[in-house]
Amino acid sequence: MHLAYPAVLAVLLFCTGLYGVLARRNAILVLMSVELMLNAVNLNLVAFDAWLRDTLHAGQALTLFIIVVAAAEIGIGLAVVLAVYRNRGTSDIDRLRDTAETDAAETLPDDAALSGTEAAGRPDTADQATAPAGTAQKAEATA
């Protein structure tokens, strides 16, 4: 058997997986595309192992290691996707970009963050010393 046949098949599998990772928005389809890419690497490892007639069968041993790592990755990845889907109601990757934690003071309106004396125009030094860091960062960002 020629080495070109499995190598071309592996390239086609890898390119299909790469397209799936870059173009898909669903997290489960992205995980499936990563699996396609890993299977392309496995195919190359086994093909080169057979072509080189390695006595230690290092390519096949690495393939088994990659299969074990891929199974663990899919298990953890699906658990994360299911947890995100339960909390957010979607597995769309573009809609999950707002999952970063924000400071609680940054989410408050400006009038609610001010105390009574600050709202009247007279800043209180005790309130400024204990003000949350989020309001100071917001003031620096607007200045």
Side-chain angles (χ1 to χ4, degrees):
M1 179 172 80
H2 296 283
L3 183 62
Y5 297 133
V8 168
L9 180 62
V11 166
L12 290 175
L13 279 174
F14 192 84
C15 289
T16 304
L18 186 64
Y19 173 74
V21 167
L22 296 176
R24 300 292 178 187
R25 294 178 184 217
N26 191 348
I28 295 176
L29 291 177
V30 170
L31 287 174
M32 289 173 60
S33 298
V34 169
E35 285 296 316
L36 270 177
M37 293 167 57
L38 288 173
N39 284 332
V41 171
N42 287 341
L43 182 60
N44 267 336
L45 284 172
V46 171
F48 277 97
D49 184 46
W51 184 63
L52 293 174
R53 293 189 174 102
D54 187 18
T55 57
L56 294 177
H57 300 293
Q60 293 178 15
L62 282 174
T63 298
L64 289 175
F65 180 72
I66 289 175
I67 289 171
V68 169
V69 169
E73 174 253 337
I74 282 296
I76 293 172
L78 283 177
V80 168
V81 167
L82 286 175
V84 167
Y85 182 77
R86 285 181 185 164
N87 289 334
R88 296 274 185 173
T90 183
S91 63
D92 188 9
I93 294 175
D94 290 336
R95 292 185 183 178
L96 298 178
R97 293 180 191 257
D98 60 344
T99 58
E101 294 182 20
T102 58
D103 191 11
E106 291 178 9
T107 60
L108 293 174
D110 290 336
D111 294 334
L114 297 175
S115 67
T117 57
E118 288 176 339
R122 298 183 309 250
D124 189 9
T125 56
D127 287 335
Q128 285 180 354
T130 60
T135 56
Q137 290 174 354
K138 184 184 279 186
E140 289 175 3
T142 57

